[in-house]
Amino acid sequence: METPLHRALQKRQVTAIVFLLLLWEAGSATIKYSVLEETDRGSLVGNLAKDLGLGLRDLVIRGAQVLNKGNKQLLQLEQKSGNLVLKEKLDREELCGSTDPCTLHFQVLLKSPVQFIQGEIQLQDVNDHAPEFMEDEILLKIPESSHPGAKFPLTIAQDLDVGSNTVQNYTVSMNSHFHLLTRIHSDGRKYPELVLDRALDREEQAEVKLTLTALDGGSPPKTGTTQVLIVVLDINDNAPEFAQERYEVQVQENSPVGSLVITASARDLDAGTHGELSYSLFQCSNEVLRAFEINTDTGEIRIRRLLDFEEIQSYRMEIQASDGGGLSGKCTVVIDVTDVNDNAPELTMSLLISDIPENSPETVVAIFGISDPDSGDNGKMVCSVQDRLPFLLKPTEENFYTLVTEGALDRESRAEYNITITVTDMGTPRLTTQHTITVQVSDINDNTPVFTQTSYTLFVQENNSPALHIGTISATDSDSGSNAHIIYSLLPTHDPQLALDSLISINADNGQLFALRALDYEALQAFEFHVGATDQGSPVLSSQVLVRVLVLDANDNAPFVLYPLQNASAPCTELLPRAAEAGYLVTKVVAVDRDSGQNAWLSFQLLKATEPGLFSVWAHNGEVRTSRMLSERDAPKHRLLLVVKDNGDPPRSASVTLHVLLVDGFSQPYLPLPEVARDPAQDNEDLLTLYLVIALASVSSLFLLSVLLFVGVRLCRRARAASLGGCSVPEGHFPGHLVDVSGAGTLSQNYQYEVCLTGGTGTNEFKFLKPILPNFLNEEIYRNSEENSNFRNHLGFN
């Protein structure tokens, strides 16, 4: 696209070019030099600095430059000497041709200030070319009746040189009949002219040979020669005669143009021009004149255009031979054209049905005729179609055929046929014509839709967004058009509890399935239904397929801590003897996760402790153990913040707070617990924990109720066993919180102790019993507890 900037630049360029052209023509007087052609390269032409009246320094400062018109640089300026020398050898004939004088123009450009000085070189000719005749022999025919003094101009010689170096004179070899004159044309060129001195006699000498010489004006002169053949012509006294009065010849049609048919030869007893014959077609028809031509010198008759037997089978013509004296003779030539197999058979379609319904019985596809304009075997024909196609050719009338189907066609097997009808004649060589027709097999609805799979299994992540595309059910129909247009639908389910219409919808056009609402793995892990595919043909055909939808679990449930239970008003406290060794089992955190798979894999971590390094938690089983031996310097009460984390993505977690109280033993009647000031931040955390526990408890109330019932039954059994074992403590003194001790009255590393401080009553109660969640602790702890069941004591503090 041309922009204003482009137009401005083009305008400036045009202005600059015009300015330079004006300066080109401007300047002072013309500097002229003269040089001989063929002077060697580097030869001195003249001293430009001297001729311009400039010093060498001025020549350099002003940036002198020699410019030649055109692209070829002929001259070169030597800056150091100011000499103008030839850049290459100059050829006058190449640069100027026959123009004389030969003047070459150049310009001298002085750049600072700008000045153009015109210059010219006159290229002088040297005699570097000899005269040359264009013909090696000049033929001159002179009748024997010519009179002395008759003049006969001859061909001139060419000389590329000019002026005195061109042809100046002609001479002829010595003879008794002619002498030579050198004449001058109006344009200045000189030409030779023979003058007859003595009458010629053909019977005495039929030919005269002379040598013609051309000389230029060089020093020494250069010459060129040619031969002159003079033929003495006889008087005409004999008419031409043909060898036969009638010629008959056969020629094949389609013979190449220019082919020789026959030579009609005549002879004349006269000599010279009287014996020279000229042949012609005499009073012939336009067909003959268009088809043949005759060589006027030899009498050869040749084909002018292609002959066609089917158009004209024979030609008749008269040939005339005429001599130079006006006498003539005639003969008749008959040319018979023979047939060749040059026409391929032709096929004419009369009826064509290109659309055939499938499953139809024998059906007419086409009716056509064949023909061949050749004759004999060249015109006989056979017709066929390809093998392995369900079509047959049936001849009806002469050279007419009917193409029919061999049986019922199946569009699903093949929907289109390209049938090539081949017609071959019996000539030599055989010629063939092929005609291809395309037959479409139209569809009928004879195929049911077929699903791409025998059943489909789809996976959906729970908590999906509504209208989520969960998969595509695809079916194909081998039919075409509306018969292959498939409509998808959800078929009624036999499960009355499955509200399929509220779960899944399907796109009727493309079979895409969408989840209408968010799915919950915990409520529905899988469901099945059928999808139907129905075509739009007549009659309507359909099929169905089973679809299974599996809901994948998402990590949407946080772990729930079963033990120790969290109570904001009475946090759980474990008793730990100061004599405990490293690795002593303090307690075990038990938690569950309603998710499945790796989302339910739990790991335990000690997030915060009053004294880091004293306690550790085993990541896989939640056991809280001492990391080292206890010392007197350790604080009497420790607060541990434990985190239970699942393996989902993203991971979810729950926290539990555990108080551990260090004790020296349990022999005293009661164990007073030191008062610990409560931290307001801790109260907030406990309140948050309480809310979390309440929320989780409401979700899994049924599960927790079962656990509590099971624990209650276990506690009752343990109470009865302790009473029968000899304990005299009243049964009404048992509190709801438990501490385990060994039967020997000393702390064992195989048991865990729980001290629960209840506020508002002013009493502290201790209960030594087996852990309350046997279903979630390991079996080893239960076995140890059972072995020591006879040593349990019950203590109450007021």
Side-chain angles (χ1 to χ4, degrees):
M1 181 177 179
E2 187 175 355
T3 63
L5 178 59
H6 292 162
R7 290 194 293 270
L9 290 175
Q10 292 175 355
K11 184 175 181 181
R12 291 179 60 184
Q13 291 172 355
V14 172
T15 304
I17 293 172
V18 173
F19 176 72
L20 290 176
L21 290 175
L22 293 175
L23 290 178
W24 186 281
E25 300 299 335
S28 57
T30 303
I31 302 173
K32 297 183 179 181
Y33 298 98
S34 178
V35 179
L36 289 175
E37 68 168 329
E38 303 298 334
T39 303
D40 291 336
R41 180 178 180 271
S43 299
L44 177 65
V45 177
N47 189 285
L48 186 61
K50 181 178 179 181
D51 295 337
L52 294 178
L54 297 174
L56 294 178
R57 185 170 178 275
D58 295 336
L59 202 64
V60 175
I61 292 175
R62 298 193 64 182
Q65 182 180 355
V66 176
L67 304 176
N68 294 274
K69 288 188 176 181
N71 297 325
K72 195 172 185 180
Q73 298 293 324
L74 304 178
L75 303 175
Q76 183 176 353
L77 176 61
E78 294 181 347
Q79 298 289 342
K80 294 182 179 180
S81 62
N83 291 333
L84 189 64
V85 298
L86 294 176
K87 194 171 182 179
E88 62 180 42
K89 184 182 291 187
L90 304 181
D91 185 358
R92 192 204 65 80
E93 287 75 26
E94 179 183 352
L95 296 173
C96 298
S98 60
T99 303
D100 189 32
C102 179
T103 302
L104 304 179
H105 298 276
F106 67 93
Q107 287 77 29
V108 178
L109 171 61
L110 300 178
K111 299 180 181 179
S112 179
V114 177
Q115 182 182 0
F116 279 92
I117 301 173
Q118 302 295 326
E120 63 181 38
I121 296 178
Q122 185 172 347
L123 196 58
Q124 298 179 358
D125 184 51
V126 296
N127 192 24
D128 55 345
H129 294 87
E132 182 179 2
F133 288 95
M134 297 295 100
E135 300 174 354
D136 294 334
E137 183 180 77
I138 301 174
L139 178 62
L140 186 62
K141 296 179 180 180
I142 301 177
E144 62 179 340
S145 58
S146 298
H147 299 288
K151 299 176 181 180
F152 306 95
L154 301 178
T155 304
I156 66 174
Q158 304 292 331
D159 194 329
L160 296 179
D161 295 322
V162 295
S164 61
N165 293 327
T166 191
V167 177
Q168 300 294 325
N169 191 24
Y170 292 91
T171 61
V172 70
S173 58
M174 294 297 294
N175 65 92
S176 59
H177 293 282
F178 300 93
H179 71 274
L180 187 67
L181 296 178
T182 300
R183 301 289 190 182
I184 301 176
H185 273 296
S186 58
D187 58 3
R189 292 183 301 164
K190 296 181 179 180
Y191 67 94
E193 187 177 69
L194 275 179
V195 179
L196 182 61
D197 294 332
R198 187 168 65 90
L200 298 173
D201 186 357
R202 193 192 69 82
E203 288 74 21
E204 179 183 345
Q205 187 177 1
E207 293 181 351
V208 178
K209 293 185 177 180
L210 304 175
T211 300
L212 177 64
T213 303
L215 299 89
D216 62 20
S219 179
K222 295 180 181 294
T223 62
T225 61
T226 187
Q227 298 298 315
V228 179
L229 176 60
I230 301 173
V231 178
V232 181
L233 300 180
D234 188 26
I235 298 175
N236 190 24
D237 55 354
N238 293 285
E241 292 183 0
F242 284 94
Q244 298 178 219
E245 292 186 0
R246 180 185 177 90
Y247 294 88
E248 292 185 0
V249 64
Q250 290 183 342
V251 60
Q252 288 186 341
E253 65 172 334
N254 295 336
S255 296
V257 174
S259 298
L260 177 64
V261 178
I262 192 174
T263 299
S265 178
R267 65 173 185 170
D268 193 316
L269 299 178
D270 293 324
T273 57
H274 296 157
E276 294 179 356
L277 301 181
S278 176
Y279 298 91
S280 61
L281 298 175
F282 182 71
Q283 296 180 351
C284 293
S285 63
N286 291 333
E287 288 80 5
V288 172
L289 295 177
R290 287 194 296 266
F292 301 95
E293 61 184 1
I294 189 170
N295 188 309
T296 58
D297 297 326
T298 63
E300 294 179 346
I301 300 175
R302 295 182 180 273
I303 297 175
R304 189 172 184 178
R305 68 177 181 89
L306 290 178
L307 304 179
D308 188 359
F309 172 83
E310 289 72 32
E311 182 180 350
I312 298 177
Q313 290 77 37
S314 180
Y315 294 88
R316 181 186 180 91
M317 63 192 74
E318 298 290 330
I319 307 301
Q320 176 177 278
S322 302
D323 63 18
L327 300 179
S328 63
K330 298 178 180 64
C331 74
T332 300
V333 176
V334 178
I335 300 175
D336 293 325
V337 181
T338 59
D339 182 41
V340 296
N341 193 24
D342 61 339
N343 291 283
E346 297 177 357
L347 185 149
T348 304
M349 190 66 62
S350 301
L351 174 66
L352 176 61
I353 302 174
S354 58
D355 197 351
I356 305 297
E358 66 174 332
N359 300 336
S360 299
E362 182 177 300
T363 305
V364 175
V365 177
I367 300 175
F368 59 92
I370 58 176
S371 61
D372 193 325
D374 292 323
S375 60
D377 290 340
N378 297 334
K380 295 180 180 179
M381 299 165 290
V382 293
C383 186
S384 63
V385 296
Q386 310 106 292
D387 295 334
R388 298 182 300 276
L389 287 182
F391 296 92
L392 296 175
L393 274 179
K394 293 184 176 181
T396 52
E397 298 181 4
E398 183 179 2
N399 292 337
F400 272 88
Y401 289 85
T402 300
L403 179 66
V404 298
T405 59
E406 191 174 10
L409 303 179
D410 183 12
R411 193 204 65 84
E412 288 71 36
S413 299
R414 187 166 179 178
E416 180 180 285
Y417 292 89
N418 290 319
I419 307 169
T420 301
I421 303 173
T422 303
V423 184
T424 304
D425 62 23
M426 306 303 294
T428 303
R430 295 192 175 187
L431 299 181
T432 299
T433 294
Q434 291 185 332
H435 184 84
T436 301
I437 60 176
T438 300
V439 175
Q440 303 285 344
V441 181
S442 59
D443 184 52
I444 63 173
N445 194 24
D446 57 346
N447 290 279
T448 59
V450 177
F451 288 94
T452 56
Q453 298 177 207
T454 56
S455 65
Y456 292 83
T457 300
L458 307 178
F459 298 90
V460 183
Q461 191 81 20
E462 69 170 328
N463 301 327
N464 58 283
S465 60
L468 174 69
H469 176 222
I470 62 174
T472 300
I473 306 302
S474 179
T476 60
D477 194 316
S478 301
D479 296 320
S480 64
S482 61
N483 295 332
H485 182 66
I486 298 175
I487 299 297
Y488 299 90
S489 61
L490 297 177
L491 299 181
T493 178
H494 300 294
D495 187 357
Q497 297 181 353
L498 181 62
L500 186 62
D501 293 340
S502 64
L503 293 176
I504 299 295
S505 70
I506 189 169
N507 188 314
D509 295 326
N510 54 31
Q512 291 182 348
L513 289 173
F514 298 90
L516 295 179
R517 60 179 176 85
L519 301 178
D520 185 4
Y521 173 82
E522 288 71 28
L524 182 64
Q525 287 79 30
F527 58 95
E528 296 180 350
F529 58 93
H530 286 83
V531 172
T534 306
D535 63 25
Q536 301 301 299
S538 178
V540 175
L541 301 178
S542 63
S543 60
Q544 63 181 13
V545 68
L546 175 64
V547 180
R548 299 182 183 91
V549 177
L550 301 181
V551 182
L552 301 179
D553 181 41
N555 193 24
D556 58 343
N557 291 287
F560 181 75
V561 178
L562 298 176
Y563 182 82
L565 294 176
Q566 294 298 289
N567 191 334
S569 61
C572 190
T573 302
E574 299 286 347
L575 294 181
L576 176 65
R578 285 187 178 273
E581 300 290 337
Y584 183 87
L585 177 62
V586 179
T587 187
K588 182 174 182 179
V589 179
V590 179
V592 295
D593 195 317
R594 293 187 62 196
D595 294 320
S596 64
Q598 66 178 8
N599 294 332
W601 297 351
L602 302 181
S603 62
F604 302 85
Q605 180 182 359
L606 179 59
L607 185 64
K608 187 177 180 182
T610 303
E611 186 172 343
L614 179 57
F615 299 97
S616 64
V617 62
W618 287 16
H620 299 296
N621 58 15
E623 292 182 353
V624 179
R625 296 179 180 270
T626 57
S627 300
R628 59 175 175 81
M629 291 184 62
L630 300 176
S631 65
E632 295 297 332
R633 292 175 296 179
D634 291 327
K637 184 174 183 179
H638 295 265
R639 178 179 177 272
L640 306 181
L641 179 59
L642 302 172
V643 175
V644 183
K645 185 184 297 184
D646 62 23
N647 197 39
D649 185 17
R652 294 178 178 270
S653 62
S655 62
V656 60
T657 302
L658 177 67
H659 290 174
V660 178
L661 184 64
L662 302 185
V663 297
D664 293 326
F666 301 104
S667 59
Q668 57 268 48
Y670 62 92
L671 182 61
L673 298 179
E675 296 294 333
V676 180
R678 299 185 62 86
D679 186 3
Q682 177 63 33
D683 293 339
N684 293 333
E685 294 181 2
D686 293 341
L687 184 58
L688 179 60
T689 303
L690 177 61
Y691 292 158
L692 178 60
V693 171
I694 293 174
L696 294 175
S698 63
V699 175
S700 56
S701 58
L702 182 59
F703 174 79
L704 291 179
L705 181 60
S706 301
V707 171
L708 292 176
L709 291 174
F710 179 80
V711 171
V713 173
R714 295 288 293 180
L715 289 176
C716 291
R717 291 179 181 177
R718 293 291 182 266
R720 294 192 192 97
S723 299
L724 294 176
C727 293
S728 60
V729 180
E731 189 170 331
H733 290 179
F734 282 92
H737 303 283
L738 309 176
V739 176
D740 289 349
V741 296
S742 66
T746 60
L747 295 174
S748 171
Q749 294 182 3
N750 295 329
Y751 297 92
Q752 47 187 316
Y753 309 88
E754 180 178 4
V755 177
C756 299
L757 307 180
T758 61
T761 63
T763 62
N764 296 326
E765 296 179 339
F766 288 81
K767 183 177 182 181
F768 303 85
L769 195 60
K770 182 180 177 181
I772 62 174
L773 298 174
N775 286 342
F776 301 100
L777 299 181
N778 56 53
E779 295 180 359
E780 181 64 25
I781 296 177
Y782 290 118
R783 286 197 296 269
N784 293 336
S785 300
E786 291 293 339
E787 292 173 0
N788 295 279
S789 61
N790 295 327
F791 298 93
R792 301 182 183 274
N793 297 317
H794 308 280
L795 299 178
F797 295 89
N798 296 320

